[in-house]
Amino acid sequence: MAAYVAPSRLAALTKLRCSIFQTSYNPKSLRTGAKYLRARLRGPSMVAYYPDEFNIPQIIRKYPELEMVDEDEQERLQDVRERKQRGKGAPKKAKTKEDSRRTHKKR
């Protein structure tokens, strides 16, 4: 025959067990996210999985004796030159306040 144990005594036992084993006391079984907070972080291993970014312009600046050419940068500069010839380039920066286009705008 099983002995009857009062719910308050079971709650006290659970509270004591949580303090001994350093777990969170959650008598109402609410969702706390403790499982995810206890889990190992994934970020460092994901960062370690991918190799360091290969930066061609940085290598060209670091080793000028290799005489490497950044083709993407050359193509970009060519596009900028062509756009300026067609009048589609970025406007020149104003040297003085009078050169600024804002002063000529009507309100």
Side-chain angles (χ1 to χ4, degrees):
M1 184 170 149
Y4 175 77
V5 181
S8 61
R9 299 232 352 177
L10 282 176
L13 175 66
T14 307
K15 201 171 201 175
L16 181 64
R17 184 189 314 145
C18 288
S19 66
I20 292 171
F21 295 110
Q22 296 177 346
T23 58
S24 58
Y25 178 63
N26 189 5
K28 295 184 180 179
S29 299
L30 298 174
R31 294 178 136 197
T32 61
K35 173 173 131 181
Y36 301 101
L37 293 172
R38 264 196 324 268
R40 187 175 62 86
L41 293 176
R42 294 182 181 151
S45 58
M46 289 176 125
V47 168
Y49 179 80
Y50 294 102
D52 292 336
E53 194 172 298
F54 189 67
N55 195 338
I56 293 175
Q58 214 171 36
I59 293 170
I60 292 171
R61 282 193 301 272
K62 195 170 183 179
Y63 304 105
E65 64 274 3
L66 295 177
E67 298 177 6
M68 294 175 64
V69 176
D70 185 3
E71 292 176 7
D72 292 336
E73 181 66 12
Q74 294 300 323
E75 185 176 343
R76 186 188 74 81
L77 292 173
Q78 177 67 29
D79 290 345
V80 168
R81 277 194 297 273
E82 288 173 1
R83 292 185 77 201
K84 275 190 179 178
Q85 284 176 351
R86 293 194 322 257
K88 304 287 185 182
K92 292 182 179 178
K93 291 188 178 181
K95 304 281 187 215
T96 63
K97 196 165 189 171
E98 289 78 37
D99 294 342
S100 176
R101 290 180 61 218
R102 289 184 175 189
T103 58
H104 298 297
K105 281 188 178 180
K106 293 182 181 178
R107 292 186 181 196

